[in-house]
Amino acid sequence: ITDFTGGVIAIFAMHTFGRKTMLVFGHAMMGIMELGAGAFFQAALPVPMYICLNGFILSFSLTSGPVTWLYISECTVDTATGLVVLGLYTSCMQQVLSMEFLMGSKNFGLSGTFYLFGFENFLCVIFLILFVKETRGHTDAEKKMLYVSEATQAKYGKQVSSDPAKVVPAEK
């Protein structure tokens, strides 16, 4: 129910807020919820721990879950590149999280694992602030060029339309 609710709300939120804003907010909330879950687990308070875990699920469903997929499809130049990036992202995250959870819970205990995940989400917030560009307010063509270097744009021309036939030629 929590996951479904977050997904439905995300549909409307993605039209209201910028992608970067949603990702930063989502990772911050996920970090807070995981730190809370760890603290409540350590204090043997199951009800607040479950509330924090549901808050984490809701935060993920509202932000990182759908926004990551949308952001990558908006910023990649072609479908093949987008699919490769998505495939790498999902498979790497699945491997990292499953291995980290197994090793973390064995070495740090369950509360320590939640603390570790919470800390990692705050590292993600820093990464998002420093390196991820906002797509809100850009045309589709501008979104595709966000991560294309200026040298490449100068060499091949800036695309000013989503129509590949309408490419501004490079200046000589």
mmCIF file of all heavy atoms in Angstrom, residues 44-65:
data_model
loop_
_atom_site.group_PDB
_atom_site.id
_atom_site.type_symbol
_atom_site.label_atom_id
_atom_site.label_comp_id
_atom_site.label_asym_id
_atom_site.label_seq_id
_atom_site.Cartn_x
_atom_site.Cartn_y
_atom_site.Cartn_z
ATOM 1 N N ALA A 44 14.820 -1.056 20.647
ATOM 2 C CA ALA A 44 13.777 -2.087 20.748
ATOM 3 C C ALA A 44 12.376 -1.484 20.754
ATOM 4 O O ALA A 44 11.516 -1.867 21.549
ATOM 5 C CB ALA A 44 14.009 -2.978 21.967
ATOM 6 N N LEU A 45 12.142 -0.517 19.849
ATOM 7 C CA LEU A 45 10.821 0.100 19.683
ATOM 8 C C LEU A 45 10.303 -0.249 18.284
ATOM 9 O O LEU A 45 10.578 0.472 17.315
ATOM 10 C CB LEU A 45 10.920 1.622 19.857
ATOM 11 C CG LEU A 45 11.376 2.107 21.222
ATOM 12 C CD1 LEU A 45 11.684 3.586 21.199
ATOM 13 C CD2 LEU A 45 10.306 1.784 22.265
ATOM 14 N N PRO A 46 9.580 -1.358 18.161
ATOM 15 C CA PRO A 46 9.213 -1.843 16.829
ATOM 16 C C PRO A 46 8.235 -0.944 16.056
ATOM 17 O O PRO A 46 8.373 -0.805 14.848
ATOM 18 C CB PRO A 46 8.597 -3.215 17.089
ATOM 19 C CG PRO A 46 8.199 -3.208 18.521
ATOM 20 C CD PRO A 46 9.114 -2.252 19.215
ATOM 21 N N VAL A 47 7.264 -0.339 16.734
ATOM 22 C CA VAL A 47 6.267 0.462 16.009
ATOM 23 C C VAL A 47 6.914 1.676 15.337
ATOM 24 O O VAL A 47 6.721 1.896 14.135
ATOM 25 C CB VAL A 47 5.083 0.855 16.923
ATOM 26 C CG1 VAL A 47 4.144 1.811 16.218
ATOM 27 C CG2 VAL A 47 4.335 -0.394 17.383
ATOM 28 N N PRO A 48 7.705 2.492 16.046
ATOM 29 C CA PRO A 48 8.361 3.608 15.358
ATOM 30 C C PRO A 48 9.330 3.138 14.267
ATOM 31 O O PRO A 48 9.496 3.803 13.248
ATOM 32 C CB PRO A 48 9.114 4.351 16.464
ATOM 33 C CG PRO A 48 8.471 3.920 17.736
ATOM 34 C CD PRO A 48 7.928 2.558 17.491
ATOM 35 N N MET A 49 9.959 1.965 14.478
ATOM 36 C CA MET A 49 10.856 1.434 13.463
ATOM 37 C C MET A 49 10.078 1.126 12.190
ATOM 38 O O MET A 49 10.508 1.477 11.089
ATOM 39 C CB MET A 49 11.562 0.173 13.960
ATOM 40 C CG MET A 49 12.541 -0.386 12.930
ATOM 41 S SD MET A 49 13.178 -2.017 13.357
ATOM 42 C CE MET A 49 11.769 -3.033 13.021
ATOM 43 N N TYR A 50 8.919 0.489 12.308
ATOM 44 C CA TYR A 50 8.102 0.183 11.136
ATOM 45 C C TYR A 50 7.588 1.450 10.473
ATOM 46 O O TYR A 50 7.467 1.514 9.244
ATOM 47 C CB TYR A 50 6.945 -0.743 11.504
ATOM 48 C CG TYR A 50 7.396 -2.140 11.836
ATOM 49 C CD1 TYR A 50 7.007 -2.749 13.021
ATOM 50 C CD2 TYR A 50 8.229 -2.851 10.985
ATOM 51 C CE1 TYR A 50 7.433 -4.027 13.352
ATOM 52 C CE2 TYR A 50 8.662 -4.119 11.303
ATOM 53 C CZ TYR A 50 8.262 -4.705 12.477
ATOM 54 O OH TYR A 50 8.687 -5.965 12.790
ATOM 55 N N ILE A 51 7.295 2.470 11.264
ATOM 56 C CA ILE A 51 6.874 3.756 10.691
ATOM 57 C C ILE A 51 8.018 4.338 9.864
ATOM 58 O O ILE A 51 7.811 4.826 8.744
ATOM 59 C CB ILE A 51 6.413 4.729 11.795
ATOM 60 C CG1 ILE A 51 5.097 4.237 12.403
ATOM 61 C CG2 ILE A 51 6.265 6.154 11.253
ATOM 62 C CD1 ILE A 51 4.664 4.976 13.655
ATOM 63 N N CYS A 52 9.235 4.274 10.384
ATOM 64 C CA CYS A 52 10.394 4.764 9.638
ATOM 65 C C CYS A 52 10.630 3.949 8.371
ATOM 66 O O CYS A 52 10.947 4.509 7.316
ATOM 67 C CB CYS A 52 11.647 4.751 10.513
ATOM 68 S SG CYS A 52 11.686 6.065 11.730
ATOM 69 N N LEU A 53 10.475 2.639 8.454
ATOM 70 C CA LEU A 53 10.652 1.809 7.265
ATOM 71 C C LEU A 53 9.599 2.130 6.211
ATOM 72 O O LEU A 53 9.906 2.195 5.009
ATOM 73 C CB LEU A 53 10.621 0.323 7.636
ATOM 74 C CG LEU A 53 11.816 -0.163 8.452
ATOM 75 C CD1 LEU A 53 11.626 -1.619 8.854
ATOM 76 C CD2 LEU A 53 13.109 0.017 7.679
ATOM 77 N N ASN A 54 8.365 2.364 6.628
ATOM 78 C CA ASN A 54 7.326 2.771 5.671
ATOM 79 C C ASN A 54 7.610 4.165 5.123
ATOM 80 O O ASN A 54 7.340 4.446 3.955
ATOM 81 C CB ASN A 54 5.937 2.704 6.305
ATOM 82 C CG ASN A 54 5.374 1.311 6.256
ATOM 83 O OD1 ASN A 54 5.153 0.771 5.184
ATOM 84 N ND2 ASN A 54 5.165 0.721 7.415
ATOM 85 N N GLY A 55 8.165 5.043 5.956
ATOM 86 C CA GLY A 55 8.577 6.366 5.477
ATOM 87 C C GLY A 55 9.669 6.258 4.435
ATOM 88 O O GLY A 55 9.680 7.002 3.447
ATOM 89 N N PHE A 56 10.596 5.326 4.639
ATOM 90 C CA PHE A 56 11.643 5.079 3.641
ATOM 91 C C PHE A 56 11.022 4.607 2.331
ATOM 92 O O PHE A 56 11.361 5.108 1.253
ATOM 93 C CB PHE A 56 12.650 4.042 4.155
ATOM 94 C CG PHE A 56 13.558 3.536 3.077
ATOM 95 C CD1 PHE A 56 14.663 4.281 2.701
ATOM 96 C CD2 PHE A 56 13.293 2.345 2.424
ATOM 97 C CE1 PHE A 56 15.504 3.830 1.691
ATOM 98 C CE2 PHE A 56 14.115 1.887 1.414
ATOM 99 C CZ PHE A 56 15.228 2.631 1.039
ATOM 100 N N ILE A 57 10.123 3.644 2.413
ATOM 101 C CA ILE A 57 9.474 3.109 1.202
ATOM 102 C C ILE A 57 8.703 4.213 0.482
ATOM 103 O O ILE A 57 8.781 4.344 -0.747
ATOM 104 C CB ILE A 57 8.556 1.924 1.556
ATOM 105 C CG1 ILE A 57 9.389 0.741 2.050
ATOM 106 C CG2 ILE A 57 7.694 1.525 0.363
ATOM 107 C CD1 ILE A 57 8.577 -0.362 2.695
ATOM 108 N N LEU A 58 7.986 5.025 1.237
ATOM 109 C CA LEU A 58 7.231 6.129 0.649
ATOM 110 C C LEU A 58 8.180 7.137 -0.017
ATOM 111 O O LEU A 58 7.927 7.576 -1.147
ATOM 112 C CB LEU A 58 6.379 6.822 1.712
ATOM 113 C CG LEU A 58 5.475 7.945 1.226
ATOM 114 C CD1 LEU A 58 4.419 7.408 0.259
ATOM 115 C CD2 LEU A 58 4.802 8.624 2.409
ATOM 116 N N SER A 59 9.270 7.476 0.655
ATOM 117 C CA SER A 59 10.250 8.407 0.085
ATOM 118 C C SER A 59 10.834 7.869 -1.204
ATOM 119 O O SER A 59 10.983 8.592 -2.191
ATOM 120 C CB SER A 59 11.378 8.682 1.080
ATOM 121 O OG SER A 59 10.886 9.263 2.249
ATOM 122 N N PHE A 60 11.180 6.592 -1.211
ATOM 123 C CA PHE A 60 11.737 5.980 -2.419
ATOM 124 C C PHE A 60 10.708 5.969 -3.540
ATOM 125 O O PHE A 60 11.014 6.298 -4.684
ATOM 126 C CB PHE A 60 12.213 4.550 -2.122
ATOM 127 C CG PHE A 60 12.772 3.865 -3.335
ATOM 128 C CD1 PHE A 60 14.084 4.094 -3.716
ATOM 129 C CD2 PHE A 60 11.988 3.013 -4.100
ATOM 130 C CE1 PHE A 60 14.610 3.477 -4.838
ATOM 131 C CE2 PHE A 60 12.502 2.400 -5.223
ATOM 132 C CZ PHE A 60 13.812 2.627 -5.592
ATOM 133 N N SER A 61 9.479 5.607 -3.228
ATOM 134 C CA SER A 61 8.429 5.514 -4.244
ATOM 135 C C SER A 61 8.051 6.875 -4.807
ATOM 136 O O SER A 61 7.613 6.974 -5.952
ATOM 137 C CB SER A 61 7.177 4.870 -3.650
ATOM 138 O OG SER A 61 7.464 3.587 -3.193
ATOM 139 N N LEU A 62 8.201 7.914 -4.017
ATOM 140 C CA LEU A 62 7.894 9.269 -4.471
ATOM 141 C C LEU A 62 9.018 9.871 -5.300
ATOM 142 O O LEU A 62 8.770 10.714 -6.151
ATOM 143 C CB LEU A 62 7.684 10.191 -3.263
ATOM 144 C CG LEU A 62 6.302 10.230 -2.668
ATOM 145 C CD1 LEU A 62 6.325 10.930 -1.325
ATOM 146 C CD2 LEU A 62 5.342 10.913 -3.596
ATOM 147 N N THR A 63 10.234 9.473 -5.040
ATOM 148 C CA THR A 63 11.361 10.186 -5.642
ATOM 149 C C THR A 63 12.312 9.283 -6.419
ATOM 150 O O THR A 63 12.195 9.174 -7.629
ATOM 151 C CB THR A 63 12.125 10.953 -4.555
ATOM 152 O OG1 THR A 63 12.589 10.045 -3.561
ATOM 153 C CG2 THR A 63 11.247 11.991 -3.888
ATOM 154 N N SER A 64 13.230 8.659 -5.756
ATOM 155 C CA SER A 64 14.273 7.913 -6.456
ATOM 156 C C SER A 64 13.756 6.819 -7.363
ATOM 157 O O SER A 64 14.291 6.625 -8.448
ATOM 158 C CB SER A 64 15.246 7.289 -5.453
ATOM 159 O OG SER A 64 16.263 8.184 -5.176
ATOM 160 N N GLY A 65 12.744 6.099 -6.930
ATOM 161 C CA GLY A 65 12.212 5.032 -7.770
ATOM 162 C C GLY A 65 11.838 5.517 -9.160
ATOM 163 O O GLY A 65 12.487 5.170 -10.145
#
